Amino acid sequence: MKKHLLFLLLILINLGCKEQKVKSEKNIHKEQIALDTLKDNVSIITIKNTLTSTFNFKQLLSTLENVKHTKNKHQDWMSNSIGFMDRLIDLNQNEVAIKTTSYTYKKDCVFYLHTLKHTNDSISIKPFLENAQGKSTEGYTTERVLIFAMKNNKEANFIDIPANWNFLKSEGELIELLYDTIDSDVILCENIKLCQYKDLRK
């Protein structure tokens, strides 16, 4: 009787170990799939975080209907100002040069084109611009749409559309027109959303 009980006990222990082994193998398999998925996502994120094209917004704006270059006619607190850029792209104010020119859409909707460059001509602005991803524009800039692209290897240019509650319809039309026309990958800071990479290439 004792031998039968001992034999039965050994069988139960053996079955329990096999079941535990199967569960462990399933868990290991699930963890491996999760790890592989994570690796795939990391590689995708890495690719998307890198700006790969250049785009000259000034050339684009000269071809758009209802857009007029008004040069220095209009200015606001962000015109030729780098006060907000140091937080956004991790550069000190004295390391960034900025030039601004103004435009109007349908005569009433005023917006700006800014060109950024590192004060050291040998340093590309590109990695600093990519740093803006995941960051939030603060203060008054939360009411603006900023579309950043590399102009060339050393310069970035960005369209700056301030919120104007009197011309919301025109502003919406302008933004839609730009999204449809820009053929580049960009860093987009859209109102209160975090700045993120967008691929607008056709």
Side-chain angles (χ1 to χ4, degrees):
M1 182 74 173
K2 285 184 180 179
K3 286 182 180 178
H4 290 300
L5 286 173
L6 186 59
F7 183 72
L8 186 61
L9 186 62
L10 286 171
I11 290 172
L12 289 173
I13 290 170
N14 192 29
L15 286 173
C17 288
K18 281 185 180 176
E19 189 178 336
Q20 190 63 34
K21 186 180 178 184
V22 169
K23 282 183 181 176
S24 294
E25 287 174 355
K26 282 182 180 176
N27 287 339
I28 289 168
H29 184 65
K30 283 180 184 176
E31 287 172 7
Q32 187 60 47
I33 290 171
L35 188 61
D36 291 343
T37 304
L38 180 62
K39 283 179 183 174
D40 291 343
N41 288 339
V42 168
S43 63
I44 289 167
I45 290 166
T46 303
I47 291 166
K48 285 191 173 182
N49 281 351
T50 304
L51 290 167
T52 56
S53 60
T54 57
F55 202 72
N56 189 331
F57 284 135
K58 191 170 186 178
Q59 286 179 359
L60 168 74
L61 294 171
S62 68
T63 66
L64 296 181
E65 196 175 342
N66 296 316
V67 171
K68 183 181 178 185
H69 188 195
T70 48
K71 301 181 182 176
N72 296 324
K73 183 178 179 181
H74 304 283
Q75 292 190 1
D76 74 357
W77 73 271
M78 262 178 65
S79 300
N80 300 306
S81 167
I82 53 178
F84 74 102
M85 291 301 299
D86 52 352
R87 292 190 307 273
L88 200 60
I89 62 173
D90 293 336
L91 271 174
N92 293 325
Q93 289 192 26
N94 60 355
E95 295 175 313
V96 188
I98 186 167
K99 291 181 182 175
T100 297
T101 189
S102 70
Y103 289 83
T104 55
Y105 175 70
K106 291 191 171 179
K107 296 182 181 178
D108 298 318
C109 182
V110 177
F111 67 102
Y112 303 94
L113 175 64
H114 308 283
T115 303
L116 296 171
K117 192 175 182 182
H118 198 290
T119 52
N120 183 339
D121 285 339
S122 65
I123 297 176
S124 173
I125 200 83
K126 183 173 176 284
F128 300 101
L129 186 59
E130 290 167 348
N131 282 343
Q133 293 176 90
K135 293 183 183 176
S136 173
T137 55
E138 297 174 16
Y140 294 107
T141 54
T142 58
E143 301 298 328
R144 307 171 93 103
V145 173
L146 310 176
I147 310 170
F148 293 86
M150 289 303 298
K151 182 179 177 182
N152 54 52
N153 290 334
K154 299 294 181 186
E155 293 177 301
N157 53 173
F158 71 99
I159 292 172
D160 165 22
I161 307 169
N164 189 325
W165 307 114
N166 297 323
F167 306 109
L168 277 178
K169 185 172 182 285
S170 296
E171 183 185 308
E173 286 176 9
L174 172 62
I175 292 167
E176 191 174 329
L177 175 65
L178 291 171
Y179 289 174
D180 287 344
T181 315
I182 294 169
D183 189 12
S184 173
D185 56 340
V186 301
I187 306 293
L188 177 60
C189 303
E190 192 172 8
N191 296 323
I192 59 172
K193 297 177 184 175
L194 295 178
C195 299
Q196 59 181 301
Y197 175 98
K198 291 278 186 181
D199 196 341
L200 301 179
R201 290 174 292 181
K202 309 297 182 275

